[in-house]
Amino acid sequence: MADRLYLLNADWFDDQGGPWFCPPGARIEGVLGLYPRLREHLTVTYLDHPRPRPAVIAEVGEANQSCPLLVLDGEFDWPDAQVSEETGARFLQDDDILPYWAARYGIGRPHP
């Protein structure tokens, strides 16, 4: 099983207007562009913006629908992972994904 990454599709609209994109998701997309080999280790799913997001809810529960979200496959111990109270799945969100990828897959880390 691979780590499962959930990202939002770009160009969505909400009550504040649009079209929008997700800034944390754009950063993750940028890292995937810098290190395309990462995609070999991931199952990437793109979601529409409106909630509920059933695919994410099934993985980590309703309380954790924010994206980007990485559900860990359990093959690599990562003590900083959050644990879903609803499903028990271990996951990371937003910029917490990047240090995990650096440790597990040997990519560069963001400069402080």
Side-chain angles (χ1 to χ4, degrees):
M1 183 188 306
D3 290 336
R4 295 169 307 285
L5 177 65
Y6 292 91
L7 296 167
L8 296 179
N9 288 315
D11 295 330
W12 40 271
F13 292 81
D14 63 14
D15 58 355
Q16 298 177 27
W20 306 111
F21 68 89
C22 171
R27 185 168 180 171
I28 295 296
E29 288 278 14
V31 172
L32 290 172
L34 288 170
Y35 300 99
R37 71 180 185 273
L38 279 173
R39 289 187 182 269
E40 298 170 12
H41 304 285
L42 304 171
T43 300
V44 182
T45 301
Y46 289 89
L47 305 170
D48 290 331
H49 177 263
R51 292 181 186 198
R53 298 180 181 135
V56 174
I57 292 170
E59 292 268 23
V60 296
E62 192 169 356
N64 302 300
Q65 292 185 60
S66 294
C67 293
L69 181 130
L70 182 70
V71 180
L72 307 184
D73 66 5
E75 297 295 318
F76 186 80
D77 185 38
W78 193 248
D80 295 336
Q82 298 179 57
V83 178
S84 167
E85 291 183 19
E86 294 179 50
T87 68
R90 296 171 51 78
F91 67 96
L92 299 165
Q93 290 179 298
D94 300 333
D95 285 341
D96 292 342
I97 295 168
L98 301 177
Y100 169 82
W101 282 350
R104 182 164 187 189
Y105 301 115
I107 68 166
R109 295 176 296 136
H111 185 273

